[in-house]
Amino acid sequence: QVNLVESGGGLVQPGGSLRLSCAASGSIFSIYTMRWYRQAPGKQRDLVALITGGGNINYADSVKGRFTISRDNAKNTVYLQMNNLKPEDTAVYYCNADVFSTATYSSNYWGQGTQVTVSE
């Protein structure tokens, strides 16, 4: 079993910054792709950014130039640095990861989510 625990959400004014963290723990052999999703009230859950085990990165168009995803493999942790936040970034942010518990067996896991609210 693997647990993903997000932290770093909160209330911030437009133009402000937040840094989200997601730490994986449990039966971990290695972690391949790590992702951040977000879900605003009444909307579907959308992919925000991903980083593969090889370091390839992709962003949603809406956050390019403002958000930066990174990872610390030694800590099994992925980060999302969010700058120049806008009210439309308000959502629950979820961590997602493809985790190998052995050399050949992997499963996909979700965190519990952390609320980000951008408002005056």
Side-chain angles (χ1 to χ4, degrees), residues 34-70:
M34 305 186 83
R35 309 169 185 86
W36 287 100
Y37 285 79
R38 67 185 180 187
Q39 187 168 21
K43 296 189 176 182
Q44 67 181 20
R45 189 173 297 187
D46 292 326
L47 179 66
V48 175
L50 68 84
I51 182 168
T52 68
N56 293 316
I57 291 173
N58 280 300
Y59 296 101
D61 288 343
S62 59
V63 306
K64 283 180 180 177
R66 300 188 298 121
F67 290 11
T68 302
I69 190 171
S70 61

Short mmCIF file of all heavy atoms in Angstrom, two decimals, residues 34-70:
data_model
loop_
_atom_site.label_atom_id
_atom_site.label_comp_id
_atom_site.label_asym_id
_atom_site.label_seq_id
_atom_site.Cartn_x
_atom_site.Cartn_y
_atom_site.Cartn_z
N MET A 34 4.74 11.35 -11.91
CA MET A 34 4.02 12.04 -10.84
C MET A 34 3.26 13.21 -11.46
O MET A 34 3.80 13.90 -12.33
CB MET A 34 4.97 12.50 -9.75
CG MET A 34 5.81 11.38 -9.17
SD MET A 34 6.83 11.87 -7.77
CE MET A 34 5.63 11.74 -6.43
N ARG A 35 2.05 13.42 -11.03
CA ARG A 35 1.17 14.41 -11.66
C ARG A 35 0.47 15.26 -10.61
O ARG A 35 0.25 14.82 -9.49
CB ARG A 35 0.10 13.72 -12.52
CG ARG A 35 0.62 12.70 -13.51
CD ARG A 35 -0.51 11.90 -14.10
NE ARG A 35 -0.04 10.84 -14.98
CZ ARG A 35 0.31 9.62 -14.57
NH1 ARG A 35 0.24 9.31 -13.28
NH2 ARG A 35 0.74 8.72 -15.44
N TRP A 36 0.08 16.45 -11.02
CA TRP A 36 -0.83 17.29 -10.26
C TRP A 36 -2.08 17.51 -11.11
O TRP A 36 -1.99 17.88 -12.28
CB TRP A 36 -0.21 18.63 -9.92
CG TRP A 36 0.83 18.56 -8.85
CD1 TRP A 36 2.19 18.54 -9.01
CD2 TRP A 36 0.60 18.53 -7.44
NE1 TRP A 36 2.80 18.48 -7.80
CE2 TRP A 36 1.86 18.47 -6.81
CE3 TRP A 36 -0.54 18.53 -6.65
CZ2 TRP A 36 2.01 18.42 -5.43
CZ3 TRP A 36 -0.41 18.49 -5.27
CH2 TRP A 36 0.86 18.44 -4.68
N TYR A 37 -3.22 17.28 -10.49
CA TYR A 37 -4.52 17.57 -11.08
C TYR A 37 -5.20 18.63 -10.22
O TYR A 37 -4.81 18.86 -9.07
CB TYR A 37 -5.41 16.32 -11.09
CG TYR A 37 -5.09 15.28 -12.12
CD1 TYR A 37 -4.05 14.39 -11.92
CD2 TYR A 37 -5.84 15.17 -13.28
CE1 TYR A 37 -3.75 13.41 -12.86
CE2 TYR A 37 -5.57 14.19 -14.24
CZ TYR A 37 -4.52 13.32 -14.01
OH TYR A 37 -4.24 12.35 -14.95
N ARG A 38 -6.24 19.24 -10.76
CA ARG A 38 -7.07 20.13 -9.96
C ARG A 38 -8.52 19.99 -10.38
O ARG A 38 -8.82 19.66 -11.53
CB ARG A 38 -6.61 21.58 -10.06
CG ARG A 38 -6.79 22.23 -11.43
CD ARG A 38 -6.18 23.63 -11.42
NE ARG A 38 -6.32 24.31 -12.70
CZ ARG A 38 -5.76 25.48 -12.99
NH1 ARG A 38 -5.00 26.09 -12.07
NH2 ARG A 38 -5.95 26.03 -14.17
N GLN A 39 -9.39 20.26 -9.41
CA GLN A 39 -10.82 20.18 -9.66
C GLN A 39 -11.52 21.33 -8.97
O GLN A 39 -11.50 21.44 -7.74
CB GLN A 39 -11.40 18.85 -9.16
CG GLN A 39 -12.84 18.63 -9.53
CD GLN A 39 -13.27 17.20 -9.26
OE1 GLN A 39 -12.67 16.47 -8.48
NE2 GLN A 39 -14.33 16.77 -9.94
N ALA A 40 -12.11 22.19 -9.78
CA ALA A 40 -12.89 23.31 -9.27
C ALA A 40 -14.33 22.84 -9.04
O ALA A 40 -14.78 21.86 -9.65
CB ALA A 40 -12.86 24.47 -10.26
N PRO A 41 -15.08 23.53 -8.18
CA PRO A 41 -16.46 23.13 -7.90
C PRO A 41 -17.29 23.04 -9.17
O PRO A 41 -17.30 23.95 -9.99
CB PRO A 41 -16.97 24.24 -6.98
CG PRO A 41 -15.75 24.77 -6.33
CD PRO A 41 -14.66 24.68 -7.36
N GLY A 42 -17.96 21.91 -9.34
CA GLY A 42 -18.84 21.72 -10.48
C GLY A 42 -18.14 21.41 -11.79
O GLY A 42 -18.78 21.36 -12.85
N LYS A 43 -16.82 21.23 -11.73
CA LYS A 43 -16.06 20.97 -12.96
C LYS A 43 -15.34 19.63 -12.86
O LYS A 43 -15.20 19.05 -11.80
CB LYS A 43 -15.06 22.10 -13.21
CG LYS A 43 -15.73 23.44 -13.47
CD LYS A 43 -14.73 24.47 -13.94
CE LYS A 43 -15.41 25.78 -14.29
NZ LYS A 43 -14.44 26.80 -14.79
N GLN A 44 -14.85 19.16 -14.01
CA GLN A 44 -14.12 17.90 -14.02
C GLN A 44 -12.71 18.10 -13.48
O GLN A 44 -12.22 19.22 -13.38
CB GLN A 44 -14.05 17.36 -15.45
CG GLN A 44 -13.21 18.20 -16.41
CD GLN A 44 -13.22 17.62 -17.82
OE1 GLN A 44 -14.09 16.84 -18.20
NE2 GLN A 44 -12.23 18.00 -18.61
N ARG A 45 -12.08 16.98 -13.12
CA ARG A 45 -10.71 17.02 -12.64
C ARG A 45 -9.78 17.09 -13.86
O ARG A 45 -9.83 16.24 -14.74
CB ARG A 45 -10.41 15.78 -11.81
CG ARG A 45 -9.09 15.82 -11.08
CD ARG A 45 -8.94 14.63 -10.14
NE ARG A 45 -9.95 14.63 -9.09
CZ ARG A 45 -9.95 13.78 -8.06
NH1 ARG A 45 -8.98 12.87 -7.96
NH2 ARG A 45 -10.90 13.84 -7.16
N ASP A 46 -8.93 18.09 -13.88
CA ASP A 46 -8.05 18.33 -15.03
C ASP A 46 -6.57 18.18 -14.65
O ASP A 46 -6.16 18.56 -13.54
CB ASP A 46 -8.25 19.74 -15.58
CG ASP A 46 -9.62 19.92 -16.24
OD1 ASP A 46 -10.11 18.95 -16.84
OD2 ASP A 46 -10.17 21.03 -16.14
N LEU A 47 -5.79 17.70 -15.59
CA LEU A 47 -4.35 17.59 -15.40
C LEU A 47 -3.72 18.98 -15.45
O LEU A 47 -3.97 19.74 -16.38
CB LEU A 47 -3.74 16.70 -16.47
CG LEU A 47 -2.23 16.50 -16.43
CD1 LEU A 47 -1.82 15.74 -15.17
CD2 LEU A 47 -1.76 15.76 -17.67
N VAL A 48 -2.89 19.27 -14.48
CA VAL A 48 -2.19 20.56 -14.41
C VAL A 48 -0.75 20.42 -14.91
O VAL A 48 -0.29 21.22 -15.72
CB VAL A 48 -2.18 21.10 -12.97
CG1 VAL A 48 -1.35 22.37 -12.86
CG2 VAL A 48 -3.60 21.34 -12.48
N ALA A 49 -0.06 19.40 -14.41
CA ALA A 49 1.34 19.21 -14.78
C ALA A 49 1.74 17.78 -14.46
O ALA A 49 1.15 17.14 -13.58
CB ALA A 49 2.24 20.19 -14.03
N LEU A 50 2.75 17.29 -15.18
CA LEU A 50 3.31 15.98 -14.89
C LEU A 50 4.82 16.00 -15.09
O LEU A 50 5.36 16.80 -15.86
CB LEU A 50 2.66 14.90 -15.75
CG LEU A 50 2.91 14.90 -17.26
CD1 LEU A 50 4.22 14.18 -17.61
CD2 LEU A 50 1.75 14.19 -17.96
N ILE A 51 5.48 15.09 -14.37
CA ILE A 51 6.91 14.91 -14.51
C ILE A 51 7.19 13.42 -14.48
O ILE A 51 6.76 12.71 -13.58
CB ILE A 51 7.69 15.69 -13.42
CG1 ILE A 51 9.20 15.52 -13.61
CG2 ILE A 51 7.25 15.29 -12.02
CD1 ILE A 51 10.01 16.49 -12.75
N THR A 52 7.91 12.93 -15.49
CA THR A 52 8.19 11.51 -15.56
C THR A 52 9.43 11.16 -14.74
O THR A 52 10.17 12.05 -14.29
CB THR A 52 8.41 11.06 -17.01
OG1 THR A 52 9.64 11.64 -17.48
CG2 THR A 52 7.26 11.49 -17.90
N GLY A 53 9.70 9.87 -14.61
CA GLY A 53 10.89 9.46 -13.90
C GLY A 53 12.16 9.93 -14.59
O GLY A 53 13.19 10.14 -13.94
N GLY A 54 12.08 10.11 -15.90
CA GLY A 54 13.23 10.60 -16.65
C GLY A 54 13.34 12.11 -16.68
O GLY A 54 14.26 12.65 -17.30
N GLY A 55 12.39 12.79 -16.05
CA GLY A 55 12.45 14.25 -15.96
C GLY A 55 11.71 14.99 -17.05
O GLY A 55 11.80 16.22 -17.13
N ASN A 56 10.98 14.28 -17.90
CA ASN A 56 10.17 14.98 -18.91
C ASN A 56 8.99 15.65 -18.23
O ASN A 56 8.36 15.07 -17.35
CB ASN A 56 9.68 14.00 -19.97
CG ASN A 56 10.82 13.46 -20.80
OD1 ASN A 56 11.70 14.20 -21.21
ND2 ASN A 56 10.82 12.16 -21.03
N ILE A 57 8.67 16.85 -18.66
CA ILE A 57 7.65 17.68 -18.02
C ILE A 57 6.64 18.18 -19.04
O ILE A 57 7.01 18.55 -20.16
CB ILE A 57 8.31 18.87 -17.30
CG1 ILE A 57 9.12 18.38 -16.10
CG2 ILE A 57 7.27 19.90 -16.87
CD1 ILE A 57 9.93 19.47 -15.42
N ASN A 58 5.39 18.19 -18.64
CA ASN A 58 4.33 18.80 -19.44
C ASN A 58 3.42 19.62 -18.54
O ASN A 58 3.20 19.27 -17.38
CB ASN A 58 3.50 17.73 -20.15
CG ASN A 58 4.18 17.22 -21.39
OD1 ASN A 58 4.46 17.97 -22.31
ND2 ASN A 58 4.46 15.93 -21.40
N TYR A 59 2.90 20.70 -19.09
CA TYR A 59 1.98 21.59 -18.37
C TYR A 59 0.71 21.81 -19.17
O TYR A 59 0.73 21.82 -20.41
CB TYR A 59 2.61 22.96 -18.13
CG TYR A 59 3.83 22.96 -17.25
CD1 TYR A 59 5.10 23.05 -17.80
CD2 TYR A 59 3.71 22.89 -15.86
CE1 TYR A 59 6.23 23.05 -16.99
CE2 TYR A 59 4.83 22.90 -15.05
CZ TYR A 59 6.08 22.97 -15.63
OH TYR A 59 7.20 22.98 -14.83
N ALA A 60 -0.38 22.04 -18.46
CA ALA A 60 -1.59 22.54 -19.11
C ALA A 60 -1.31 23.95 -19.62
O ALA A 60 -0.56 24.71 -19.00
CB ALA A 60 -2.75 22.55 -18.12
N ASP A 61 -1.93 24.29 -20.75
CA ASP A 61 -1.69 25.61 -21.33
C ASP A 61 -2.02 26.73 -20.35
O ASP A 61 -1.37 27.78 -20.34
CB ASP A 61 -2.52 25.78 -22.60
CG ASP A 61 -2.00 24.95 -23.76
OD1 ASP A 61 -0.83 24.51 -23.70
OD2 ASP A 61 -2.76 24.74 -24.72
N SER A 62 -3.02 26.51 -19.52
CA SER A 62 -3.49 27.56 -18.61
C SER A 62 -2.48 27.93 -17.52
O SER A 62 -2.61 28.98 -16.89
CB SER A 62 -4.81 27.14 -17.96
OG SER A 62 -4.63 25.93 -17.24
N VAL A 63 -1.48 27.07 -17.29
CA VAL A 63 -0.53 27.34 -16.22
C VAL A 63 0.90 27.52 -16.71
O VAL A 63 1.80 27.82 -15.92
CB VAL A 63 -0.56 26.22 -15.14
CG1 VAL A 63 -1.98 26.02 -14.63
CG2 VAL A 63 0.03 24.93 -15.66
N LYS A 64 1.12 27.35 -18.01
CA LYS A 64 2.47 27.49 -18.56
C LYS A 64 3.03 28.87 -18.26
O LYS A 64 2.35 29.88 -18.43
CB LYS A 64 2.46 27.25 -20.07
CG LYS A 64 2.37 25.79 -20.46
CD LYS A 64 2.37 25.63 -21.97
CE LYS A 64 2.27 24.17 -22.36
NZ LYS A 64 2.20 23.98 -23.83
N GLY A 65 4.28 28.90 -17.79
CA GLY A 65 4.92 30.16 -17.47
C GLY A 65 4.65 30.65 -16.06
O GLY A 65 5.28 31.60 -15.61
N ARG A 66 3.69 30.02 -15.37
CA ARG A 66 3.36 30.42 -14.00
C ARG A 66 3.64 29.32 -12.98
O ARG A 66 4.01 29.62 -11.84
CB ARG A 66 1.88 30.82 -13.91
CG ARG A 66 1.49 31.97 -14.81
CD ARG A 66 0.06 32.44 -14.53
NE ARG A 66 -0.93 31.39 -14.79
CZ ARG A 66 -1.77 30.93 -13.86
NH1 ARG A 66 -1.75 31.42 -12.63
NH2 ARG A 66 -2.66 30.00 -14.18
N PHE A 67 3.44 28.07 -13.37
CA PHE A 67 3.62 26.93 -12.47
C PHE A 67 4.88 26.16 -12.87
O PHE A 67 5.22 26.06 -14.06
CB PHE A 67 2.43 25.98 -12.54
CG PHE A 67 1.15 26.51 -11.94
CD1 PHE A 67 1.00 27.84 -11.58
CD2 PHE A 67 0.08 25.65 -11.76
CE1 PHE A 67 -0.18 28.32 -11.03
CE2 PHE A 67 -1.11 26.10 -11.22
CZ PHE A 67 -1.24 27.44 -10.87
N THR A 68 5.54 25.58 -11.86
CA THR A 68 6.72 24.75 -12.09
C THR A 68 6.60 23.48 -11.28
O THR A 68 6.43 23.54 -10.05
CB THR A 68 8.00 25.49 -11.70
OG1 THR A 68 8.11 26.71 -12.45
CG2 THR A 68 9.22 24.62 -12.00
N ILE A 69 6.69 22.33 -11.96
CA ILE A 69 6.67 21.04 -11.28
C ILE A 69 8.10 20.54 -11.13
O ILE A 69 8.94 20.74 -12.03
CB ILE A 69 5.79 20.02 -12.04
CG1 ILE A 69 5.57 18.76 -11.20
CG2 ILE A 69 6.37 19.70 -13.41
CD1 ILE A 69 4.54 17.80 -11.80
N SER A 70 8.39 19.92 -10.00
CA SER A 70 9.71 19.34 -9.77
C SER A 70 9.54 18.15 -8.84
O SER A 70 8.47 17.95 -8.26
CB SER A 70 10.66 20.38 -9.17
OG SER A 70 10.18 20.84 -7.91
#
